[in-house]
Amino acid sequence: MIDRRSLIGSGALGALALLVPRMAWAKAETDKRFVFIIQRGAADGLGTIAPVGDPAFAGARGVLATDFDGIAKLDSLFALHPALSTVGGLYQQRQALFAHAIASPYRDRSHFDGQNVLETGGAGAYRVKDGWMNRMLGVIPSGEARAIAVASAVPMALRGPHEVSSYAPSSLPDASDDLLQRVTMLYEGDSQLHALWSEAMNTRKLTSDLAGDNGRNAAATGALAAKLLAAPDGARVAMIETGGWDTHAQQRGRLGAQLKGLDAMIAALQTGLGPLWADTMVLVATEFGRTVAVNGTGGTDHGTASSAMLLGGGVKGGRVISDWPGLDMRALYEGRDLKPTMQLDAFIGGAVASHFETDPVRTMMTLFPNTAGTPVVQGLLRA
C-alpha cells in the first residue's frame, strides 16, 4: 500500500507534477540575497575574461583571440567578452568583480567528478556527502527566510540536512482549476501535506506569468529567480543551473551564445530585484577551465583553471583579482592548461562571510571542511 505521504514524496502524484516539484524551504534570517549560477560543462575562462595583455595570448589562442580585437580593456591585462554587455556595465559601475586563474582542488578533468568537488566543497570527488550551500544555511543566521534551486531537481550543492527543494516551470500541460481545487480539498485534513501544497500554490501564483517559457530561455530563468527572491516571504538563497559550456568544437559561436544568455540572465535578475539588488550577491563559477590551445575542430578541451564572477550592489567591483601565471608554455599546468593560482574555495568562503557578516574562519571550516586553515579571500565587498 502507498499512503499519501509516500506518494507525494516519490513524485508519483500527477497533479503536483503538473505544477511544481515539492516545495520545501531551508531557512535563513537575513534580508540579503545570494545567488549561485553554476556553469556546467567547464566554461572557458580565457574566452570569457581574456588576458589580452599577455604577450603569449594571441599566439596561444589563435582564432579565439579575434573575439577581442578592438575591445576596450578592463585594465592593463584583461578584456571582457563583448557578449557580456550587462556584466560590462556592472563592472563600470563597480558592481562586478572577476577572479582569474582560479580553481577548486580538483585536477583530473572529469565533468562529473569536477562538479561534485565544486558543489560539495570537498578536496576530492565524492568525499563529502552534502553540498556547501546546504551547509551555508547553518552558518548564516537561522529564521524564516527560504532557499531554493531554480532547477528541475535539487543540485548537489543544496543537498544536505537542511531541507531544500527546487522549482522549474513544467513543460507539461497546466492542470485545470477543478483538479487543483480537488487536490486542495483532499489535503485539507493533513497538516503536513496541506502546508506543502499551499506553498506550491503560492509559488505557482507568483510565477504564473513566466511559466509559458518553460524555463528554456535564460532571461526568463533570471526573471523567475528574481520573482522568487523578491517576494517579501520568498527565497533569500537560490541556485541556478546553466549548461552547454563544454565547447569542444566551434567554440567562437557557441561560447558567444552561451555568454549572451548568461548576460541576459544577470540583466533579468538585476531588473527583477530592483532596489533589492543593492543587498544581493551573485556568484558565477564552473567546475574547471579549458585548454589554452585550440584543438582541430575550433574548440578547446578540458583544462584546469578558469575565471569566476561576483556581481551585486555590495560587491567591491571594477577590478580583476589574479596572481596571473602567464600563458607561456613553460608557465602552463602540465604543459597545456592555465595554472591555478587562487583557490575557488577561499574565494567563495570570503564572499559568503563578507556578504552575510559571518565569522570567516567558521564559514570556511563549515563550507569547505577539508581546507580548514585556509584563509578566505578578503576585500571582495565594500566595507
Side-chain angles (χ1 to χ4, degrees), residues 14-32:
L16 188 60
L18 288 172
L19 292 170
V20 52
R22 183 165 65 102
M23 300 300 297
W25 306 88
K27 298 181 178 181
E29 189 178 274
T30 177
D31 207 39
K32 294 183 177 180

Side-chain angles (χ1 to χ4, degrees), residues 124-378:
Y126 310 106
R127 297 183 190 177
V128 180
K129 302 305 181 185
D130 55 3
W132 66 262
M133 287 187 74
N134 194 283
R135 296 193 297 275
M136 181 184 77
L137 295 167
V139 173
I140 59 181
S142 61
E144 295 301 324
R146 301 166 176 175
I148 190 169
V150 183
S152 58
V154 179
M156 186 66 233
L158 275 170
R159 296 181 192 173
H162 299 275
E163 191 175 3
V164 181
S165 194
S166 58
Y167 175 80
S170 173
S171 58
L172 297 172
D174 286 341
S176 68
D177 290 340
D178 180 65
L179 175 59
L180 299 181
Q181 181 61 32
R182 288 175 181 271
V183 175
T184 300
M185 293 171 62
L186 177 66
Y187 290 157
E188 279 182 345
D190 189 306
S191 59
Q192 182 180 359
L193 293 178
H194 179 70
L196 289 169
W197 183 258
S198 296
E199 292 212 58
M201 292 297 95
N202 290 337
T203 302
R204 179 177 182 265
K205 292 176 183 177
L206 185 66
T207 60
S208 60
D209 59 327
L210 296 170
D213 226 297
N214 291 329
R216 289 188 291 265
N217 180 276
T221 301
L224 170 61
K227 270 188 169 286
L228 293 168
L229 289 162
D233 59 346
R236 294 296 177 267
V237 175
M239 179 173 174
I240 303 175
E241 294 186 306
T242 66
W245 299 96
D246 197 16
T247 51
H248 283 287
Q250 300 176 331
Q251 177 168 305
R252 278 195 72 193
R254 291 179 59 197
L255 181 62
Q258 288 288 119
L259 293 173
K260 185 176 180 180
L262 176 64
D263 195 69
M265 180 181 291
I266 291 167
L269 264 173
Q270 183 188 17
T271 300
L273 287 169
L276 297 173
W277 178 257
D279 288 321
T280 298
M281 183 172 70
V282 180
L283 166 71
V284 182
T286 191
E287 68 261 31
F288 48 76
R290 308 196 70 82
T291 51
V292 173
V294 183
N295 63 29
T297 58
T300 54
D301 300 317
H302 298 177
T304 306
S306 189
S307 60
M309 302 181 189
L310 278 184
L311 313 136
V315 172
K316 189 178 180 181
R319 58 201 175 112
V320 182
I321 58 173
S322 180
D323 179 10
W324 187 247
L327 296 180
D328 182 90
M329 182 62 67
R330 294 166 296 181
L332 301 184
Y333 179 75
E334 297 185 346
R336 51 171 276 165
D337 300 339
L338 177 63
K339 181 180 179 180
T341 59
M342 185 185 304
Q343 294 186 42
L344 181 58
D345 294 352
F347 182 73
I348 296 173
V352 170
S354 296
H355 185 58
F356 290 109
E357 300 178 331
T358 57
D359 177 74
V361 175
R362 180 184 173 223
T363 301
M364 192 68 186
M365 290 182 66
T366 303
L367 272 58
F368 307 104
N370 293 310
T371 56
T374 301
V376 302
V377 177
Q378 301 278 3

